[in-house]
Amino acid sequence: MAELRTEEEQVEALKRWWKENGLSLVAGVALAAAGVLGWNTWQGYQENQATAASMRYQQLVNLTAGNDLDEAQLPEARALVEEIVDEHGKTLYADLARLMDARLAVAQGDLAGARERLQPLADAGSDDYVAGLARLRLARLLVAEGDADQALNVLQSGVPEALAAQRAEVRGDAYHALERREEAATAWREALRLAETNEQPLYGVQLKLDNLGLESPDPEGSALETSNLDTTSHDNRGLDA
C-alpha cells in the first residue's frame, strides 16, 4: 500500500507540474519551432533579394555596355539605378549602381551631378574597392573641372593597393594639369611600374610620358613601360565607367 501511495503521489505531482508548467513548455517548443522556421524563411528571403539585385545590375551593365551610351537608353538606365538603390540599398549592387549613375551623369555632361553621386561612395562606400574606384573617378572629374589640387587631396587616402597603378596615373594627370611636369612624369612612371608588377594593363600612360618630351631616367625601365601597350584587357572588375 505504501508503494501504491507513492506512485499515486508521483502521478499527482506530475499532474500538478504539468498544470503549472505545461503551457509554458508547449509555448517554448512552439517558439523554438517558429524561430527555426523564421530563420530559414529569412535566409531564403535574403538569397532571393541578392539574386534579384544581381539580375537587375546585370541588366544595367548590359544596357550601358560600350563607350557610347544611346541617349534613348539613359532614362531606362536611370530607372534601373533607382530600382536597385531603392530596393537593395544596403547591398554592394546598390553602390555599383551608384557608380554607374555617375557615369550616366558624365555622359549627359552633368559633371556636378556626377560628383554628387561619387562623393558619398568615396566617403563611405560599402566596399573598399568600390570606395577606391569612386575616389579615382572623383579625382578625374576634379582634374577635368580644373581643380587638380583637390584631386590630389582626394587621392591621399582611401584607394586600395589593388588600384595603386590607377591612382598613380590620376596623380600624374593632376600634376600635369598644374604644369608640374617632372612630378607628372614621376607619377606616370610609377603607374607603369606598378601595372607591370601587378600584371595590370594601363593604356595611354606611355603616350602621356612621350608627349612630355622628358627623357626617362631609366632606359631599361622604359622598355618595360612600353610593353604595357601590348596588353589586351583592363583589370576593372567590370566596373570601369
Side-chain angles (χ1 to χ4, degrees), residues 22 46 60 134 155 161 171 177 228 236:
Q46 290 291 81
L60 181 62
L155 296 173
E161 285 305 304
R171 186 177 286 130
N228 282 278
N236 56 14

Side-chain angles (χ1 to χ4, degrees), residues 57 95-104 106 111 114-119 121-122 129-145 151 154-155 158-159 163 166-167 170 234-241:
Y57 181 70
D95 281 351
L96 297 178
R98 292 182 180 102
L99 277 178
M100 190 69 76
D101 200 24
R103 178 189 172 191
L104 297 176
V106 171
L111 299 188
R115 279 191 287 104
E116 289 176 3
R117 291 162 173 80
L118 290 171
Q119 191 67 63
L121 287 176
Y129 191 93
V130 173
L133 279 175
R135 282 188 170 269
L136 286 174
R137 296 178 187 183
L138 181 59
R140 287 192 178 102
L141 283 175
L142 289 166
V143 171
E145 292 183 307
V154 168
L155 296 173
V159 180
L163 295 168
Q166 291 85 346
R167 177 181 57 198
V170 180
H234 182 53
D235 181 20
N236 56 14
R237 289 172 54 174
L239 305 177
D240 190 20

Side-chain angles (χ1 to χ4, degrees), residues 210-221:
D210 293 342
N211 288 338
L212 278 180
L214 299 176
E215 292 185 5
S216 171
D218 181 7
E220 293 183 1

Side-chain angles (χ1 to χ4, degrees), residues 48-60:
N48 290 338
Q49 287 293 93
T51 300
S54 174
M55 291 176 62
R56 288 291 181 270
Y57 181 70
Q58 189 58 52
Q59 282 183 260
L60 181 62

Side-chain angles (χ1 to χ4, degrees), residues 196-213:
E196 175 75 17
T197 299
N198 298 324
E199 298 182 349
Q200 293 178 331
L202 206 59
Y203 297 105
V205 178
Q206 184 62 54
L207 182 60
K208 294 175 185 179
L209 273 171
D210 293 342
N211 288 338
L212 278 180

Side-chain angles (χ1 to χ4, degrees), residues 6-41:
T6 300
E7 291 177 359
E8 289 174 347
E9 288 170 356
Q10 290 174 350
V11 170
E12 287 300 320
L14 181 58
K15 288 179 179 179
R16 285 196 303 272
W17 181 89
W18 180 258
K19 183 177 180 180
E20 294 172 359
N21 301 287
L23 183 61
S24 297
L25 179 62
V26 171
V29 172
L31 286 173
V36 172
L37 179 61
W39 174 252
N40 290 337
T41 301

